[in-house]
């Protein structure tokens, strides 16, 4: 089982460039999440998708957009990258059987993004 | 607003020694509490969780944690660490819903022979 797969693993962008981070899960999970991890800040939620067809903002959504393409895939787009978006990005999924479920989060291995 | 504090940024422990990682939280009601572990270059993996009931919870890899309401703490323990336990450990707290979780800043664990 691959679990949660993120691509690419590493990316360097120049300020103002755009890119899309891809995430796919093969566990038939309903909910998917995008986090960023910065030194001394822990993980912060950017966007999440409780189920196919829905997306909602998390704690730090500015500068990002998301698409829940289908049940398996949840992409994160940076339209105009800024140095403040230099971070490690993690995608996660959970089965989430009902509203308010705290099913375990399953994480991908992350994408290390540098914006110069 | 909820918050979680992991006071120790970095801990070094000898292999075979016992381990305790601290987690303190601020939350208005009984929270959902989690410990996640991140091995180098990997995503996070759930070690254990507390929702209700017995305040001492067992997790994977021989870890356990104890919820102490009076101290607002959820410390992670292991009686004897192995070199493979070297990783970063994150405590998380929240109400219903993963989207509402707050993660701590993490504690990096180094194991020396």
């Amino acid at each position: 089982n691959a679990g949660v797969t993120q691509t690419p693993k590493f990316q360097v962008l120049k300020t103002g460039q755009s890119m899309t981070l891809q995430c796919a899960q093969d566990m038939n999970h309903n909910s998917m999440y995008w986090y960023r991890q910065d030194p001394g800040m822990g993980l912060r939620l950017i966007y999440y998708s409780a189920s196919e067809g829905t997306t909602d903002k998390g704690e730090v959504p500015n500068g990002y957009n998301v698409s829940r393409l289908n049940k398996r895939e949840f992409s994160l787009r940076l339209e105009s990258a800024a140095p403040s978006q230099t971070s490690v990005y993690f995608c996660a999924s959970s089965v989430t059987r009902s509203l308010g479920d705290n099913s375990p989060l399953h994480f991908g291995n992350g994408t290390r993004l540098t914006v110069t | 607003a909820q918050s979680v504090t992991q006071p120790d940024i970095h801990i070094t422990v000898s292999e075979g020694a016992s381990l305790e990682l601290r987690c303190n939280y601020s939350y208005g009601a009984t929270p959902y509490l989690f410990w996640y572990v991140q091995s180098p270059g990997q995503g996070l993996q759930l070690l254990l969780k507390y929702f209700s009931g017995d305040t001492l919870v067992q997790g994977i890899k021989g870890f356990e944690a104890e919820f102490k309401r009076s101290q607002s703490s959820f410390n992670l323990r292991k009686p004897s660490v192995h070199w493979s336990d070297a990783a970063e450990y994150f405590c998380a707290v929240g109400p219903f819903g993963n989207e509402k979780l707050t993660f701590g800043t993490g504690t990096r664990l180094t194991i020396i022979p």
Side-chain angles (χ1 to χ4, degrees):
Chain A
N1 248 353
V4 178
T5 302
Q6 291 182 237
T7 55
K9 288 185 170 49
F10 302 94
Q11 184 71 49
V12 179
L13 291 178
K14 293 188 186 327
T15 298
Q17 287 184 319
S18 63
M19 79 160 295
T20 300
L21 280 65
Q22 307 286 354
C23 175
Q25 52 91 7
D26 63 1
M27 296 173 284
N28 201 34
H29 284 174
N30 295 316
S31 297
M32 298 185 73
Y33 312 79
W34 276 105
Y35 292 89
R36 60 179 289 173
Q37 183 182 31
D38 302 293
M41 301 287 288
L43 270 75
R44 292 181 292 168
L45 183 64
I46 305 171
Y47 271 94
Y48 67 99
S49 170
S51 62
E52 186 179 356
T54 69
T55 61
D56 285 287
K57 295 178 181 179
E59 181 185 353
V60 288
N62 291 345
Y64 305 95
N65 285 300
V66 290
S67 295
R68 183 76 183 266
L69 303 169
N70 47 56
K71 191 170 186 179
R72 289 188 63 247
E73 298 172 287
F74 188 39
S75 62
L76 179 72
R77 183 160 179 84
L78 287 70
E79 291 291 352
S80 180
S84 61
Q85 294 178 304
T86 293
S87 187
V88 181
Y89 291 85
F90 286 99
C91 178
S93 69
S94 67
V95 64
T96 309
R97 298 179 185 88
S98 61
L99 191 64
D101 192 300
N102 277 91
S103 306
L105 292 164
H106 295 258
F107 286 83
N109 288 346
T111 294
R112 187 172 293 275
L113 176 66
T114 302
V115 183
T116 61
Chain B
Q2 67 203 40
S3 65
V4 58
T5 302
Q6 294 182 246
D8 305 303
I9 296 173
H10 184 205
I11 285 183
T12 300
V13 176
S14 297
E15 190 168 15
S18 63
L19 171 70
E20 182 168 26
L21 301 181
R22 297 183 290 166
C23 173
N24 296 100
Y25 68 88
S26 173
Y27 186 69
T30 299
Y32 285 43
L33 294 158
F34 304 81
W35 275 100
Y36 280 85
V37 60
Q38 183 181 26
S39 298
Q42 305 290 314
L44 281 72
Q45 179 186 20
L46 180 67
L47 278 178
L48 48 78
K49 59 188 178 185
Y50 173 78
F51 290 173
S52 63
D54 192 344
T55 57
L56 183 65
V57 293
Q58 303 297 321
I60 62 170
K61 305 185 182 190
F63 285 92
E64 67 177 27
E66 186 170 13
F67 170 56
K68 292 186 177 180
R69 184 190 305 274
S70 61
Q71 298 177 19
S72 297
S73 69
F74 188 57
N75 294 349
L76 182 71
R77 301 194 294 247
K78 186 170 185 177
S80 175
V81 298
H82 186 261
W83 64 267
S84 60
D85 294 324
E88 189 147 19
Y89 292 79
F90 292 90
C91 182
V93 61
F96 268 155
N98 281 322
E99 70 277 8
K100 300 183 181 70
L101 281 182
T102 297
F103 283 84
T105 52
T107 297
R108 184 159 60 93
L109 176 64
T110 297
I111 309 294
I112 56 176

